[in-house]
Amino acid sequence: MEPAKFQFAIDRGGTFTDVFARCPGGKVRVLKLLSEDPANYRDAPTEGIRRILQEECGEPVPRDSPIATSRIEWIRMGTTVATNALLERKGERMALLITRGFKDLLHIGNQSRPKIFDLEIVMPEVLYEEVIEVDERVVLQQAGCQLPKSDVLEVGTGSTGERVEVWRRVDLAQLEDQLRGVLARGIRSLAVVLLHSYTWSQHEQQVGQLARTLGFLQVSLSSEVMPMIRAVPRGYTACADAYLTPCIRSYVTGFCAGFQRTLKDVQVLFMQSDGGLTPMSKFNGSRAILSGPAGGVVGYAVTTHADGGTEPVIGFDMGGTSTDVSRYAGEFEHVFEATTAGITIQAPQLDINTVAAGGGSMLSFRSGLFVVGPDSAGAHPGPTCYRKGGPLTVTDANLCLGRLLPDYFPKIFGATEDQPLWREGALRGFQKMADQVNDFLSSQSQRDRDKGPRQSQMTLEEVALGFIRVANESMCRPIRALTQAKGHDTSRHVLACFGGAGGQHACAIARSLGMKTVFIHRFGGVLSAYGLALADVVHESQEPCSAMYGAASFPLLDQRITALEEQCVDALLTQGFHRSQIGTEAFLHMRYEQTDCALMCSASGHPARQDTDSSRHGDFRAAFTSRYLKEFGFVIPDRPIMVDDIRVRGCGRSGISSHQHSTRPNVCSPNVETVKCYFDDGYLDTAVYLLEELSRDHTIAGPAIIIDKNSTILIEPDCTAAITEHGNVRITVGKGKVRAVGSELNTVQLSIFSHRFMSIAEQMGRILQRTAISTNIKERLDFSCALFGQDGGLVSNAPHIPVHLGAMQETVQFQMRHLGTELKENDVILSNHPSAGGSHLPDLTVITPVFRKGVARPVFFVANRGHHADIGGTTPGSMPPHSKSLQEEGAVFISFKLVKDGVFQEEAVTQALMAPAQVPGSSGTRNLHDNLSDLRAQVAANQKGIQLVNELIDEYGLEVVQAYMAHIQVNAEISVKEMLREFARRRGQSVGQLEVCAEDFMDDGTPIRLRVNIDQAQGSAVFDFTDTGPEVYGNCNAPRAITLSALIYCLRCMVGQEIPLNQGCLAPVRVVLPKGSILDPAAEAAVVGGNVLTSQRIVDVIFKAFRVCAASQGCMNNVTFGNECVGYYETVAGGSGAGPHWEGRGGVHTHMTNTRITDPEILEKRYPVVLKRFELKPGSGGKGRQQGGAGVIRELLFRERVVLSVLSERRAFRPYGLDGGEAGEAGLNLLIRQDGRSINLGAKTSVAVSPGDTFQLQTPGGGGWGAPGDGMGQREVPSKCVPESRRPQAGFVERGSVFEYRQLQESV
C-alpha cells in the first residue's frame, strides 16, 4: 500500500546520519549526511527531512523556520545520543541513594578488573557525583534463621512471593535534609538503589515520592527501571537511566522544536536496544544504548528472510572503527544483561557483538606478527589515505590492493575537505611497512642461517594483503564463538553484510567460515535506517518471580502472564493500534535450582499440554529443557526448575513491507571499466559494475567490484554474484584456490596460525562449558584449555587465567617422561599432583595424546584443567586452612588413565575420588556425580580440540602445523627477549649493573628471595630464588608450576602488549628453585595455600626486583563458611599497587586472581548471612606521589551456626611501597561476638560462629609510589610496560555475549 504522506526512518550515527524516506506514491529516497555540521545545520535528522521535503514537494523549506508537519505521517529514529553520552561521560549530573553500608558498592562492582595484564587498573568512572546512604534495611526471611525477632519492625510479602523482614524503616526526615543539600549543589537527577527492592519496593517508592516533591527532575528507582534480583547490575541500570534519560529528553525536545506544533500531530518513534520501537515519551536511557545498531539487525533479519532465505543468518556490519556481529534464526537473540563502557545494564538488548576490527583499525608489525587493531584511527585523523596524517589502516590496505577505487568516492578529504582518497600516500606507507617487515626477516635469517630455508622478502602488496587476511581471521574468531557457544554450526549460516566497509571482506570471511552464501541488501549502506522502517512498535512488561515451575505455581504464573499481557495490549491500544495488529509473547526466566545459568524462554512451538504439567500459556518446561539441551548438550531431569522473572513482549505491527521489487530494466548492463586488483595470484583484471545499473537475474563472476552509492562490494575469484528479483546481491562463495604453505616461517601465515591455534583452545573451552554440570566450570568458568606441540610445549592457552599460565605444560611433559611408550592412542590421562605439574588438588588436568596414522609417537597433545568444587579431604571444598600434608587436601592423581583403550574408567576413578576417606578426619569426594560429569566434559573438550587440529593438519599438512607450533613459540620468545634487553639497557645506564634482586616475607616470616641476572646481548635472564625459606609446616608451599605461572604472568605484564602466551615466554629464562624450599617442597607437602597466597607473593617479589609497581594487596582473602546444610566460598578484593604514572585502584582483585564476588542480594537469598557492610576502607592505601588503592571492609552477620574458615596473608607484613612511597595497610580478620567482644582471628583460622556473630574482614591496601610531593623520580620500568587500557582506542568499545563470556572467563 503506497503512503499518502511522507514516512521517514532515520539512523543518527556517530559520524553519519542515514535517512530512508518513502514519499507519497511510493517513491523511495535515501540520503546520507554528516551527523555534526554546525556551520550548515543545527540537527542532522531535521536537515535530512527538510531537504527531502523541499526537493520532493518543489517548495522551499527554510532552514531557520519550524518545518510544517501536515505532509509527514511518521518519523522513526535510532540514535547514538545515549551511547555517546555514556562513552564520553557527558550525561546529567546525578547522585546515588543506596542502603547504608554500601556507598562504594557500585565502585567495587563485581571486584574483577577488565584487563588482567594491565598493572594500572583503568576502569570507567562511576556515573554519580555524590552518594547518600539511606538509613534503611530489608532482609529476606529465612526458615532456619536463629536471630532474635525483637529487631524485626515489620514482616510482609514481596512482589515475588518471598517473605520480607523490615529491620530499619527509611528515616525520611534525615533524608530530606541531605536531598536539599544535593539540590543546592545543582544536582537534579537521582538513582535510588535499595537492597531487595526488586521484591519490596515500598522504601524506594517513599524515597522517590520525597525526591519528586522536593523538585528533582529525574528520579530513577531501580525497582521501576528493571525489577530483577542482583543489586549491582540493577544499580548500574538505575544510574544509567538517571544519567542518560535527561540527555535523551533534551535531545528529543530540541528535535521536536524544529517542527511546527513540536510534532504533536506526527507519530514519532525511537528504536530501543531490544529491536523494538517506542513512543518518544517513553524512550529512556537504560533502553537506548543500542538504539543505533539495533535498526541494522532488524533490517538484515527481515530482508534476508524476505528475499527467499530460510537459513540462519550472521549479521556482519563493518564500519570505520569496529565491526558488529549478530545472529538471526527466525527470532531475535536477546541478552538481558550486558556491559557497555564499564556499566552493566539489566534490560532486554539485542545480542550485538562489537569486535576490534573495522576499516579504520590500525596496522602494526610487532616482533614478527602482523597486528590489526584494536586501536582505530577514527574519523580524525582517519586512515593515511584521508590526507590528515593518520596511520595505516585496513582501509589503506584495501586501497593499495585496488579494492577501493578513489574515482567513485566523493572528494571530501584533506585539510580543505575537497581532495580524493590518497592512494599514493597509502602506497608510500606500505612501502615503509614492507621495509620494516623485511628488516625483521633479514635479522631472523642471519640468526637462523643453519635452520633451513627462511621466508623471502615481501612486496608492499603482499604486506597489505597479509594485513587483510589477518583482519579477516580476527573477525572470524568472534563469529565462531557466537555460533558455537549455543551449539550451532557456523558454516550453515548466510553472511548478511552491510555497513560501509563490509563488502570488501565478506567473500573472504564467508569462505574462511565455510559459509556458502553472502547476502547484501540494496540498501546495505543505510540498512540501519531501513530497518527502522521495517520494525515493530514494542511494549514490554516484566516483573520478578521466585517460584518453582510446577503444578502448584501454574495458577500464579498464568495470572501474572495474563496481567502483563493486558498491560502490553492496553499500552499499544493507546498508541493507536487496532487489536488485530497487536501480538504478545510470554517469557519465563528459568534456571535449574542451585545454578545461575538462567534462560529467558518463550513457549512458542511448545503448546500447552492437556495434563497438569503445563501452564495454559504453553509448555515452558519443554521449551526450557529443549533449549538447555541445544546449548549445553544435556539436561538435569530430577532437578527442580526455578522461575526468576516473568516477561511479556507486546508488538504492534506497523512496519512497511520489505517486498519492494526492483524497478530496474531486465537488461544486461556492461561493466563500466576494468581495473587491476591484487589477490593471492597477483594482479588480476577485475570488472567494475554500478549496482544501480544492474537488473534482476544478472550474474557476475569474480573477480569483480560492484559500486554502490554508500559501499563497495568485492566479488573474489571463484565467487559469483546474482541480483535477486528485489534488487539485492546474493553471492555464491566457492572454495577458492588452495594456497600452498611451506614449513618455513611466513610472517603473515604466523599471524593467521596464531589466531587459529587460539581459536582451537577457545572452542575447546566452549565445549567444556556447555557439557560440564558443576557451577565452578559451567558458570564461574574456572578452567582453561590448551594445545601442546609434540614436545609437550605449550602452543596456545585459553582463557588466560593467571594461575594456569604455563602450568599445564609441566603436567604434559611430566606424563611424557613418566609414561614414555605407555602413552597409547585412545588413552586419556588424569593428573593433579603438585610434583607432576599440578597447582593444587582441586584443579584436575585431563590430557589426551594425539596420534596420526603412520607416526609412532604423539604428534601433539590437548589438555584442559578444571577446578572441581570438592575432591574430598578434611573440609568441604577441599581447601582446608590448616592442612599439614597433601593427603588432607583430597584425592591425588599422579598419572591416572581416565580413559583406557577408549573406555572411560568410571569404577577406578570413583574409587580414587573416594580414597581420601581412608585418612583419619577426611572424607572422600562430597559430590561424586558432578566430578564424573565434569571429567566426561573435560574428555569431550579434548576430543573437540583433536578434531579441530586434525582439520588444520588435513588443510596444511602435519609438517606445516608442527612447524608453526614451533614458530609461534619463537615469536613469544622474541617478545620477552626484547623486553629483557630494554630493561637491561635502562638498568645498565642508571645503575651500571645487570643484576637486580628483591625479597619479601610471608606472614610467618618465611622469606622469598630473588636475584635476576640479565644478559643484555642474549636477551636472557636467570631468575634465582636461592636463599628462599624452607618448606613450611602448613599449606603455603607452592609447587614449581605455581612459580612458573607467576613468572609468565609477570613477563606478560612487563612486555605490555598482546603476545602469544606459550612455552616461548620462558625460553629466554632459566629458573632456579632450591629443593626443599617453600617454592619446591616435598611431594607430600600441603599446597592449597601456595596456589592462592604464595603465588601472589612471588609476583610481588618479581615486580619489586624490576621496580615495576608497588605491591598490591598480595592476598586473595579466602573466606569459607558452612554447616551440614550449606557451604559458601569467596575471595575478596583489596587495593592495587601504585606505579610511576598511576594511582592504585581500590576494591579490586589483582595479579593471580580476578574472581567475581557474589551479589549481595544473591548472597542473602541463598546463604544464612546478612551483609552489613561492603565498602572501601579510607586511608588504607599507601601514601605517595601516587597513592595506593584502598582495601575494603566486608561484614557478614551470621543467622545460623556455621564453621567459618579464613585463609589469608598480608596480616603481618604490609604491601610495600616503592621509590619512597609508603606501604599499604595490612589486613585484619575480626570476629565480633553477639555480646560486642572483638577477637582478632589471625591470618589463617577455622572457628565455630553463632547466630548474631559478625565477621569483619579488612583487606590490605596497595603500596604507594614515590614520596609525597617528590618530583618524577627515577623510572626503570620498561617503556613498553604501558597498560593497553591507557592507549586511546578512538571510540571502540567491545560489547556483546562473546565479550561478556571472555570477561567472565578471566574473572576466576
Side-chain angles (χ1 to χ4, degrees):
M1 183 176 174
E2 308 301 351
K5 295 184 177 183
F6 286 89
Q7 300 170 338
F8 292 98
I10 305 170
D11 174 41
R12 185 189 187 279
T15 304
F16 291 104
T17 290
D18 298 334
V19 182
F20 173 88
R22 291 183 78 210
C23 308
K27 180 181 178 181
V28 171
R29 286 288 308 273
V30 173
L31 181 66
K32 186 181 285 279
L33 65 163
L34 289 171
S35 293
E36 300 288 344
D37 191 358
N40 292 305
Y41 46 81
R42 182 185 60 82
D43 177 68
T46 305
E47 174 66 12
I49 292 172
R50 188 196 69 78
R51 289 184 189 179
I52 290 175
L53 288 174
Q54 181 170 278
E55 292 167 11
E56 293 299 318
C57 297
E59 301 172 4
V61 180
R63 222 176 237 141
D64 54 359
S65 300
I67 298 172
T69 60
S70 58
R71 292 172 173 159
I72 301 175
E73 180 180 346
W74 50 248
I75 300 171
R76 299 175 170 202
M77 283 184 61
T79 176
T80 58
V81 167
T83 311
N84 293 341
L86 189 62
L87 293 175
E88 300 166 10
R89 292 300 193 260
K90 292 182 178 179
E92 184 75 6
R93 294 180 64 200
M94 59 157 295
L96 168 68
L97 277 65
I98 196 165
T99 301
R100 183 170 298 282
F102 297 89
K103 61 182 170 58
D104 299 312
L105 182 65
L106 300 188
H107 172 96
I108 298 168
N110 63 24
Q111 77 179 7
S112 67
R113 61 196 189 277
K115 295 180 179 290
I116 58 175
F117 298 114
D118 279 5
L119 298 177
E120 178 186 1
I121 299 173
V122 177
M123 301 178 76
E125 292 302 314
V126 294
L127 302 180
Y128 49 84
E129 283 186 32
E130 295 189 27
V131 181
I132 295 177
E133 293 187 89
V134 181
D135 198 13
E136 65 84 44
R137 193 61 160 98
V138 169
V139 300
L140 301 182
Q141 198 172 69
Q142 290 185 351
C145 179
Q146 299 167 16
L147 293 174
K149 298 297 183 183
S150 56
D151 294 334
V152 178
L153 302 178
E154 181 183 349
V155 177
T157 302
S159 61
T160 61
E162 296 167 291
R163 297 289 285 171
V164 170
E165 296 178 356
V166 177
W167 285 13
R168 286 198 307 276
R169 294 191 175 95
V170 181
D171 187 339
L172 292 172
Q174 179 190 43
L175 184 60
E176 181 175 344
D177 291 340
Q178 294 172 301
L179 289 176
R180 289 188 186 280
V182 171
L183 278 171
R185 290 184 286 277
I187 294 176
R188 297 288 185 274
S189 186
L190 296 179
V192 184
V193 186
L194 305 183
L195 291 193
H196 300 294
S197 62
Y198 70 94
T199 186
W200 185 265
S201 62
Q202 286 87 326
H203 285 186
E204 283 196 356
Q205 295 291 345
Q206 293 172 23
V207 172
Q209 183 177 353
L210 172 63
R212 292 182 183 109
T213 301
L214 291 174
F216 284 92
L217 301 179
Q218 175 67 35
V219 181
S220 298
L221 307 182
S222 74
S223 54
E224 292 180 347
V225 174
M226 183 47 65
M228 295 179 75
I229 191 171
R230 292 200 297 138
V232 172
R234 193 175 72 251
Y236 283 140
T237 307
C239 286
D241 195 72
Y243 188 72
L244 299 175
T245 299
C247 297
I248 290 172
R249 193 180 297 135
S250 174
Y251 175 75
V252 169
T253 300
F255 173 69
C256 292
F259 297 83
Q260 292 180 3
R261 291 178 49 78
T262 61
L263 286 171
K264 287 179 181 175
D265 303 323
V266 176
Q267 184 192 53
V268 182
L269 301 170
F270 277 81
M271 176 60 78
Q272 301 183 107
S273 299
D274 63 358
L277 296 163
T278 192
M280 61 179 174
S281 61
K282 297 180 181 294
F283 190 47
N284 61 49
S286 61
R287 292 176 180 257
I289 303 301
L290 298 183
S291 174
V297 176
V298 175
Y300 85 73
V302 175
T303 57
T304 307
H305 276 227
D307 207 6
T310 57
E311 308 98 325
V313 186
I314 293 293
F316 179 71
D317 177 9
M318 186 176 180
T321 302
S322 59
T323 297
D324 286 340
V325 174
S326 54
R327 181 177 183 272
Y328 179 79
E331 61 182 27
F332 293 115
E333 297 194 348
H334 290 100
V335 292
F336 298 88
E337 186 176 305
T339 302
T340 299
I343 302 299
T344 301
I345 306 291
Q346 268 187 336
Q349 303 165 61
L350 291 172
D351 186 12
I352 300 173
N353 291 266
T354 302
V355 298
S361 291
M362 291 163 55
L363 311 180
S364 59
F365 182 75
R366 259 187 345 231
S367 305
L369 279 180
F370 281 61
V371 180
V372 179
D375 297 351
S376 173
H380 300 284
T384 297
C385 60
Y386 281 17
R387 300 175 180 265
K388 293 181 181 178
L392 284 180
T393 68
V394 172
T395 296
D396 294 303
N398 279 312
L399 182 63
C400 282
L401 299 174
R403 300 176 178 201
L404 290 178
L405 306 176
D407 290 347
Y408 297 91
F409 275 74
K411 295 181 179 181
I412 57 172
F413 304 101
T416 55
E417 298 187 350
D418 59 358
Q419 298 295 304
L421 283 173
W422 191 29
R423 186 166 189 261
E424 294 76 15
L427 288 169
R428 206 175 301 153
F430 272 103
Q431 187 58 60
K432 290 182 181 177
M433 183 73 79
D435 292 343
Q436 180 186 347
V437 172
N438 291 327
D439 288 345
F440 173 84
L441 294 175
S442 298
S443 68
Q444 294 300 105
S445 299
Q446 289 293 319
R447 194 194 70 177
D448 299 327
R449 284 191 299 269
D450 58 340
K451 294 186 179 180
R454 309 301 292 175
Q455 181 181 357
S456 58
Q457 300 281 286
M458 298 182 70
T459 65
L460 73 85
E461 290 89 351
E462 289 171 332
V463 170
L465 183 59
F467 277 112
I468 294 295
R469 293 176 61 204
V470 173
N472 291 342
E473 185 60 37
S474 72
M475 289 183 279
C476 287
R477 270 176 67 184
I479 294 175
R480 292 190 190 103
L482 179 67
T483 50
Q484 293 168 358
K486 297 179 180 178
H488 306 298
D489 184 345
T490 311
S491 66
R492 295 185 178 181
H493 290 70
V494 170
L495 189 69
C497 178
F498 57 106
Q504 298 131 53
H505 299 259
C507 289
I509 287 174
R511 181 176 284 148
S512 293
L513 294 169
M515 296 177 176
K516 306 295 189 296
T517 305
V518 173
F519 179 86
I520 302 175
H521 194 271
R522 68 185 185 281
F523 295 137
V526 293
L527 197 63
S528 289
Y530 186 51
L532 295 170
L534 302 175
D536 293 330
V537 179
V538 169
H539 182 90
E540 289 208 357
S541 294
Q542 180 170 323
E543 63 182 39
C545 183
S546 185
M548 185 181 296
Y549 188 83
S553 64
F554 290 158
L556 170 67
L557 295 174
D558 287 335
Q559 175 201 352
R560 298 316 306 157
I561 289 172
T562 299
L564 295 177
E565 284 179 338
E566 290 173 356
Q567 289 180 22
C568 291
V569 171
D570 289 346
L572 291 169
L573 287 173
T574 60
Q575 295 177 41
F577 287 95
H578 188 271
R579 185 62 183 86
S580 62
Q581 295 176 285
I582 299 172
T584 62
E585 186 172 13
F587 298 82
L588 297 183
H589 203 199
M590 308 172 80
R591 61 180 172 82
Y592 282 119
E593 191 178 38
Q594 298 176 347
T595 74
D596 288 326
C597 190
L599 301 175
M600 190 68 78
C601 296
S602 160
S604 176
H606 299 276
R609 294 165 52 174
Q610 297 303 311
D611 56 28
T612 59
D613 197 37
S614 165
S615 157
R616 62 182 171 84
H617 288 88
D619 189 352
F620 288 95
R621 183 193 304 277
F624 172 75
T625 54
S626 173
R627 185 169 161 198
Y628 202 94
L629 181 66
K630 175 70 175 175
E631 293 198 19
F632 303 121
F634 68 94
V635 293
I636 314 175
D638 301 324
R639 187 79 64 89
I641 297 171
M642 305 302 297
V643 179
D644 286 340
D645 301 278
I646 305 169
R647 168 179 168 242
V648 172
R649 182 176 175 90
C651 292
R653 298 178 183 87
S654 65
I656 66 172
S657 170
S658 61
H659 292 284
Q660 299 179 35
H661 291 266
S662 172
T663 58
R664 299 166 189 156
N666 193 6
V667 296
C668 183
S669 302
N671 58 300
V672 293
E673 65 172 310
T674 300
V675 298
K676 293 289 186 182
C677 192
Y678 192 87
F679 297 95
D680 285 336
D681 291 332
Y683 281 104
L684 300 178
D685 286 340
T686 304
V688 179
Y689 298 84
L690 299 180
L691 181 59
E692 62 186 15
E693 295 181 2
L694 297 176
S695 61
R696 54 183 176 268
D697 301 325
H698 195 144
T699 59
I700 299 170
I705 292 174
I706 300 176
I707 303 290
D708 187 18
K709 292 177 181 177
N710 300 304
S711 61
T712 298
I713 303 169
L714 178 69
I715 314 300
E716 296 213 356
D718 199 28
C719 297
T720 303
I723 309 302
T724 71
E725 65 172 315
H726 300 124
N728 306 316
V729 181
R730 184 175 290 269
I731 305 171
T732 301
V733 180
K735 291 183 178 180
K737 183 177 178 180
V738 178
R739 298 181 69 254
V741 177
S743 59
E744 69 278 1
L745 174 66
N746 177 291
T747 50
V748 174
Q749 207 62 45
L750 179 68
S751 304
I752 292 171
F753 268 108
S754 176
H755 281 289
R756 294 291 291 271
F757 290 146
M758 277 301 297
S759 182
I760 289 169
E762 290 166 354
Q763 291 179 69
M764 288 172 63
R766 286 291 193 173
I767 293 295
L768 179 51
Q769 185 254 352
R770 282 184 56 225
T771 56
I773 196 170
S774 71
T775 299
N776 263 6
I777 293 180
K778 183 170 212 60
E779 294 169 14
R780 290 188 59 241
L781 308 185
D782 193 351
F783 65 82
S784 60
C785 300
L787 171 66
F788 304 83
Q790 59 185 337
D791 62 350
L794 178 66
V795 174
S796 63
N797 188 106
H800 294 143
I801 297 174
V803 82
H804 288 181
L805 292 176
M808 272 193 283
Q809 173 179 304
E810 293 279 304
T811 307
V812 173
Q813 292 178 334
F814 173 89
Q815 302 303 327
M816 294 177 67
R817 295 190 302 270
H818 183 73
L819 292 174
T821 57
E822 290 299 308
L823 273 172
K824 306 286 188 182
E825 192 168 4
N826 297 321
D827 285 353
V828 180
I829 312 302
L830 171 64
S831 181
N832 69 345
H833 198 287
S835 65
S839 49
H840 64 167
L841 296 186
D843 280 348
L844 298 185
T845 303
V846 173
I847 305 160
T848 307
V850 185
F851 293 80
R852 290 283 286 190
K853 188 175 181 179
V855 183
R857 299 182 62 80
V859 295
F860 62 92
F861 296 82
V862 288
N864 62 78
R865 177 169 287 180
H867 185 106
H868 286 238
D870 195 293
I871 55 164
T874 57
T875 62
S878 305
M879 293 188 66
H882 293 305
S883 54
K884 302 296 189 294
S885 67
L886 192 66
Q887 63 180 357
E888 298 176 60
E889 297 179 357
V892 177
F893 301 91
I894 294 180
S895 187
F896 182 90
K897 288 203 174 180
L898 180 64
V899 176
K900 189 173 184 179
D901 296 327
V903 179
F904 187 82
Q905 303 295 302
E906 181 169 343
E907 183 178 347
V909 75
T910 298
Q911 290 177 358
L913 286 166
M914 300 307 298
Q918 300 168 15
V919 177
S922 290
S923 166
T925 179
R926 298 164 182 86
N927 202 343
L928 178 63
H929 177 261
D930 282 11
N931 293 136
L932 295 176
S933 296
D934 286 353
L935 286 171
R936 286 192 179 94
Q938 289 181 263
V939 172
N942 282 359
Q943 286 302 117
K944 180 66 173 179
I946 292 168
Q947 172 203 330
L948 293 170
V949 179
N950 276 327
E951 289 175 4
L952 205 60
I953 292 172
D954 291 341
E955 183 178 349
Y956 290 101
L958 176 60
E959 181 185 2
V960 171
V961 173
Q962 287 184 330
Y964 275 92
M965 286 181 172
H967 294 327
I968 204 72
Q969 291 167 340
V970 170
N971 178 260
E973 177 183 349
I974 290 169
S975 299
V976 173
K977 282 185 171 182
E978 287 179 354
M979 183 275 294
L980 290 171
R981 285 192 185 104
E982 183 180 344
F983 177 80
R985 179 182 58 78
R986 297 171 67 84
R987 180 76 178 182
Q989 286 178 353
S990 61
V991 180
Q993 62 183 18
L994 296 178
E995 180 180 278
V996 294
C997 56
E999 71 174 5
D1000 206 338
F1001 297 88
M1002 304 294 289
D1003 277 351
D1004 64 1
T1006 300
I1008 296 179
R1009 297 192 172 100
L1010 171 65
R1011 189 175 301 277
V1012 184
N1013 289 284
I1014 301 172
D1015 184 328
Q1016 183 174 356
Q1018 295 295 319
S1020 62
V1022 177
F1023 284 72
D1024 188 350
F1025 288 91
T1026 301
D1027 297 329
T1028 289
E1031 174 186 321
V1032 297
Y1033 184 60
N1035 58 26
C1036 282
N1037 300 295
R1040 173 182 170 83
I1042 293 295
T1043 302
L1044 296 182
S1045 295
L1047 180 53
I1048 289 183
Y1049 166 79
C1050 292
L1051 292 172
R1052 167 61 181 85
C1053 290
M1054 290 189 288
V1055 167
Q1057 62 190 24
E1058 286 288 347
I1059 62 170
L1061 292 171
N1062 56 43
Q1063 170 182 264
C1065 293
L1066 292 179
V1069 169
R1070 184 166 68 89
V1071 182
V1072 178
L1073 298 175
K1075 203 76 176 165
S1077 71
I1078 191 175
L1079 302 185
D1080 193 2
E1084 61 273 13
V1087 297
V1088 69
N1091 187 63
V1092 295
L1093 299 176
T1094 312
S1095 61
Q1096 298 280 50
R1097 194 67 71 260
I1098 296 168
V1099 171
D1100 286 342
V1101 171
I1102 294 172
F1103 283 151
K1104 189 176 185 181
F1106 281 82
R1107 298 182 63 78
V1108 170
C1109 61
S1112 294
Q1113 69 159 334
C1115 177
M1116 298 186 192
N1117 302 297
N1118 303 268
V1119 177
T1120 307
F1121 63 79
N1123 53 29
E1124 60 277 3
C1125 299
V1126 70
Y1128 176 74
Y1129 169 71
E1130 69 180 15
T1131 63
V1132 184
S1136 70
H1141 52 77
W1142 71 83
E1143 294 200 336
R1145 169 86 180 182
V1148 69
H1149 260 321
T1150 54
H1151 300 324
M1152 299 301 283
T1153 188
N1154 202 28
T1155 313
R1156 298 186 178 193
I1157 200 159
T1158 304
D1159 188 89
E1161 291 177 345
I1162 296 291
L1163 178 69
E1164 294 188 0
K1165 180 182 174 75
R1166 298 184 184 174
Y1167 301 99
V1169 293
V1170 173
L1171 185 60
K1172 294 174 66 176
R1173 293 172 70 188
F1174 189 31
E1175 58 192 22
L1176 298 178
K1177 184 183 179 185
S1180 55
K1183 294 181 175 60
R1185 186 175 66 248
Q1186 310 287 355
Q1187 185 96 358
V1192 305
I1193 299 176
R1194 186 170 173 86
E1195 287 187 359
L1196 296 171
L1197 169 66
F1198 296 98
R1199 306 177 74 171
E1200 296 178 16
R1201 296 183 184 278
V1202 297
V1203 173
L1204 169 70
S1205 298
V1206 183
L1207 191 60
S1208 60
E1209 272 284 325
R1210 290 292 194 199
R1211 269 49 182 176
F1213 290 89
R1214 298 164 60 187
Y1216 62 78
L1218 273 184
D1219 205 29
E1222 296 180 9
E1225 280 191 12
L1228 180 64
N1229 304 328
L1230 287 178
L1231 180 63
I1232 305 170
R1233 293 290 189 186
Q1234 190 174 11
D1235 60 8
R1237 197 160 49 105
S1238 292
I1239 304 166
N1240 186 342
L1241 295 178
K1244 300 168 184 66
T1245 193
S1246 189
V1247 60
V1249 297
S1250 302
D1253 290 346
T1254 298
F1255 173 58
Q1256 184 185 91
L1257 174 69
Q1258 300 179 24
T1259 67
W1265 181 286
D1270 259 7
M1272 294 306 291
Q1274 181 181 15
R1275 293 189 188 178
E1276 297 161 1
V1277 181
S1279 61
K1280 281 188 179 179
C1281 193
V1282 176
E1284 291 141 77
S1285 54
R1286 296 187 74 245
R1287 303 172 193 155
Q1289 294 189 8
F1292 166 70
V1293 178
E1294 199 172 2
R1295 67 177 173 225
S1297 61
V1298 175
F1299 165 71
E1300 299 287 344
Y1301 178 82
R1302 193 180 70 249
Q1303 291 291 99
L1304 183 57
Q1305 279 187 309
E1306 295 180 352
S1307 299
V1308 296

